[in-house]
Amino acid sequence: MSFWGRRQAMGWAAALLGGSILLSRFMGLARDKVISYYFGATEESDVYFAAFVIPDFINYLLAGAYFSITLIPLLTELFRKDEEDAWRFFSAVALWTAVMSSALCAAVVLWAHPLARWAAPGLSPQAAQRLAFFLRIVAPAQVFFLLGSCFSAVLYLRKQFQAPALTPLIYNALIIALGVLLRGYGMSGFCWGVLLGAFLGNFVLPVMAVRSGGGLRWRWTLWHPALKRFLALALPLMVGQSVVVLDEQLVRVFGSLAAVGTISWLNYARRIMLVPVGVVAQAAGTASYPFLAETYSAGHMDQFFTTLKTAFRNTLAVLIPLSVWMMLTARPTIVLIFQQGRFGTADTVETVWALRLLLSVVFCWGIQQILGRAYYARQDTLTPALIGTLCTVAVIPLYYVGATHGGARGVAAASAFSVALYTALLGLWWQRRLGPRAFQGLLTSSIKITFVTLAAAAPSAVALTWPTRWHLANVYLQAAFELMLSGVVFAAAFFALGRLWARDLVMPLWDRLPLATRGRSRR
């Protein structure tokens, strides 16, 4: 069997995708480190980050982030009945995706100037002109993102996660490479890296993997009867936008109304916050979805709810302690990663505040990443879309008030509240419609893991102050020691206390550590 043809079970799939996302997040941090070093939190960096508002909206409008979610249940059913018919359906979806995405991206290129004013209304006229130039480079990348999502859906269906795991690594590597090589031209080099990375990493790689991992049978067809069902599933996601999907764009749009540098501060903080979200929450949601869809389609409801409860429990057991420790160490983290070159101490202060506010609701990201996919596994895309749209409309005034009265901190607070509100409503509606089976024991588990986490945070906070007594001349060396000591103390206290007070939650985490595995093998 070829490398691309190997299938993974849910545990290995989560580990593979989690490792990929971890590397991708670190590469994203490296990319932002390069940006902060050369451009800091300036108008040029604000313009670059704002350049993604319109292209990302195209992606959301065509439900690009949900292509796998909408395609997998239909492809699963069609491949089970008639493989040839399934390939005709897939070809029709991919062809219309190419047509629609190309048309929208062409419109962005033609009307880049007025769209730039809409994307970042607070920018100066000169910055808006620069933004229009960046838009014309970045927008065509969405064609490759969307088409690549179609082929990735086939790979997820086959439970072949190798290519999707490599996709973000290639994408980020090319952005960094071209950004550094072309840094003399401002941030346009990073924009060209986005375009090339999307083409090679998000499009070419999945196509090659589908062909070599089980075959690709392309059929030139514009229509298939299942397109009606696909549109019925995708249309709510196209029209109804979730606040967690639009949050990054709302942060950029309203961040432009605050001081210069606000968009950059929020982006740097959000980049770090997304590390635990991506590594734990997104990986768990992505890996569990094919299994949730498969068990629900087969009518195995006990297994469906068991998979859902296990995903919730394991995700919160990691996200709660990790986010609390990251809140404790926000200052040395920002100092070590970003405070260098044109990124100064004043930028650090604002970014730290934003990061702590965003980290306070990381556990909500974990819940909604999994629960949203549980809705989609039931082929219910309407409910999350309606709830998400209502939340988005309700919180837009909060973003405006936060930006005009609180700057970066106000926008970050609005973002955190929005995610918490959406998660709460999504869970309440699920419980009302399907009962509490998915959440049985979750509150007790969350209380136990939170208690252990807070108990472990106390000695970790004390350890955080030790390096300041050593009077180290190098601020980066001191920040590194602060992170190392507080991390070691927190981990030791967390596992020691967890073995006593939350053994059922902590020991599965301990058993997955390499040292614990080696210890068991020796015994």
Side-chain angles (χ1 to χ4, degrees), residues 50-59 61 100-116 118-119 131-143:
F52 292 90
V53 172
I54 301 297
D56 285 353
F57 185 76
I58 291 175
N59 191 286
L61 184 64
M100 295 299 295
S101 60
S102 297
L104 288 171
C105 289
V108 173
V109 172
L110 288 173
W111 294 302
H113 288 285
L115 288 172
W118 181 86
L131 177 55
F133 172 63
F134 285 179
L135 269 175
R136 290 192 170 103
I137 302 173
V138 173
Q142 296 305 318
V143 177

Side-chain angles (χ1 to χ4, degrees), residues 131-194:
L131 177 55
F133 172 63
F134 285 179
L135 269 175
R136 290 192 170 103
I137 302 173
V138 173
Q142 296 305 318
V143 177
F144 305 123
F145 283 131
L146 290 160
L147 279 175
S149 296
C150 294
F151 289 92
S152 293
V154 177
L155 296 172
Y156 286 132
L157 171 66
R158 294 174 176 173
K159 299 182 177 63
Q160 297 167 350
F161 298 95
Q162 297 91 330
L166 288 173
T167 288
L169 307 183
I170 296 173
Y171 174 69
N172 278 310
L174 287 171
I175 296 176
I176 295 171
L178 267 68
V180 172
L181 289 173
L182 302 177
R183 63 185 182 276
Y185 298 93
M187 297 209 63
S188 59
F190 292 92
C191 296
W192 289 113
V194 168

